[in-house]
Amino acid sequence: MTFVSSLKAAGAYVFPLIAGIWCNWGLGLTTGYVVGVAMGVGVAGIFAGTATDEYIRGLIVTVRAHFGVID
């Protein structure tokens, strides 16, 4: 999250915003629901969805910044 905030401060806020919305609603919510509710794991499944969201979003933004593609 600190890296994404650094990009936002540098003026590259569009891609981290889009990646955040997509990962949060697409991955975090879906994984949290499937693991937490459908599989019956409960709150630990919701945490797994949140962890998946943060991990994948961090990878996407880091790879994009590493290759020099900034807004």
Side-chain angles (χ1 to χ4, degrees):
M1 287 194 299
T2 303
F3 184 68
V4 173
S5 297
S6 299
L7 285 175
K8 288 179 186 177
Y13 60 88
V14 175
F15 183 77
L17 174 70
I18 292 170
I21 291 171
W22 184 83
C23 286
N24 206 359
W25 287 98
L27 291 173
L29 183 66
T30 305
T31 306
Y33 178 77
V34 169
V35 176
V37 178
M39 294 177 66
V41 177
V43 176
I46 305 298
F47 179 76
T50 303
T52 302
D53 161 48
E54 292 292 330
Y55 181 74
I56 299 298
R57 184 179 354 162
L59 280 177
I60 290 170
V61 173
T62 301
V63 167
R64 180 176 163 97
H66 176 72
F67 287 112
V69 183
I70 303 292
D71 296 19

